[in-house]
Amino acid sequence: MQRVIIIIIIKSENVRKTFHGLTLIFPKSAESESLASKYAYDEWLVSRFLEYVPRVEDFLSKMERLPTQYIRVNTLKTSRQELENRLRSKGFELRNTIMPEVLAVNKAPLATGATTEYLLGLYYIQDLGSCLAVDALGVAEGQAVLDVAAAPGGKTTFIAQKMNNTGSIIALEPNGRRARSMSFNIMRCGVYNTSIFRMDGLQASKFEMKFDRVLLDAPCSCEGVIAKDITRKTSHTPQDVDYCSRMQDKLIEIAARCVKPSGILLYSTCSFAPEENEMVIDRLLQKSGNITVEPVRHGSRGGLTKFGDWTFDHQLKNALRLYPHIDDTTGFFIARLRVN
Amino acid sequence: MICRQPAREERTQINRALGRWGAFEFFKHKPLIIQEVGTKKKIVCLVTGDIEKAIQVMEDPYSAGLAIGELKKQFIPSIAGADLFARYGRRNKYYITVGEKAENLVLYGRDIMGESIEAASDALDENELVIVLNTAFEAIAVGRTRFAGRSLFQKGRVTVSTIADAGYYLREEG
């Protein structure tokens, strides 16, 4: 498919900014060139980080190291204490996090994904940021939940756990291989309140059902997980951000239509790019007029209300940005939207 | 994939199996559905009442609830089913226990040697389905006996064939 990229150059206060589609590119600076060279990134990416990531060099340095590994206790099958005792007896060193169900793995004498406890579904390897997104969704027993882009099922199985295997979760995943992988995780975790549909999130409005909670962990450019895949330092392009942003716009509109009155839509990505986060929410707020952004628990850094020449709805400060060098998670953006 | 209520004779077969594994009470008031895969495969799934209603409205799910076993001539428990039976059922002669070393081998899909079995009922016959537990009484596999009674403990021979194990998820995904 041929793609057309519109490049517009605007002049403002002697700063030349370029748009690749929706993606804002900032002019090179000595700092951006030096950091890009030192940490082997494409310069355009670092010049953007300088605009929205606090303490950029700390961040780039942190991305050179593997992220902290977290495990989420599957309380459908065990208790935290019991799991801690079992893993400690095998030589694991664990520490507490801000979430009672989540433990950080300081030392693992064997692969965390190959222990008997893992195979029996007593825990799930899941980043703290991902768990915080589920926490922000605020599910209760007996509710109806839609998980729009569900595979591999980390968030889905955590939602099931928080609902104590009651109510219903409809999980959408168009890709057959990923749906299969997700079904394994559901079986391993002993989840029985979930049904997987091989369906694109864009088709979700076909459902006659409305949901108390809708989770849209949107497909994104994955800027937040560069530490896990360093090829993204140079393979990531402005076109990726542009493509994802447009896709996210469509998905969030459809997801919002699936929410019951007064229900919650939780939007998250593992990207830092404002075009994939604040900008998507801002456009939805402008279009809908009946959606509010509610504060997210555990939040220390809110969403942006300004980026380049753009200003976003002031409610976006209620969103949550998670940074690897500050929060010790992968990069994450979380916004909790009340659909009135 | 078609999801439907179990027919009367299927329900009888499922109930008999649940009784066999000592788990009838746990499942008594829980909805079970049949997922038909292709023309022959009939998967028994534990669902919530809300999922049962939802899949009547939304057709053609890829999966619904938790697959606890497959209906063939006999009900064959899945690992997820075996896990629930071991967790909530009453342990009886159809459960055997293996030691820690054997646990690791079983999780690689290996069959079970006689010397690895720590506990098994004398009343077990040859060719019986059994749930294989580790020393913490967690279901790690579903197996079929090759010998009866005390012969299950004989050294140097495979006495239980592993037909499903919890390591399967990892091997399949890898």
Side-chain angles (χ1 to χ4, degrees), chain A residues 10-12 15 17 19 24 26 306-311:
Chain A
I10 60 169
K11 284 187 179 179
S12 153
V15 177
K17 302 183 188 76
F19 291 90
L24 186 54
F26 292 87
K306 190 173 185 322
F307 175 57
D309 294 326
W310 280 302
T311 52

Side-chain angles (χ1 to χ4, degrees), chain A residues 185-202:
Chain A
N185 281 325
I186 282 177
M187 286 196 276
R188 190 172 61 80
C189 293
V191 168
Y192 58 84
N193 67 345
T194 299
S195 184
I196 305 173
F197 286 76
R198 273 195 65 187
M199 185 188 283
D200 193 302
L202 295 170

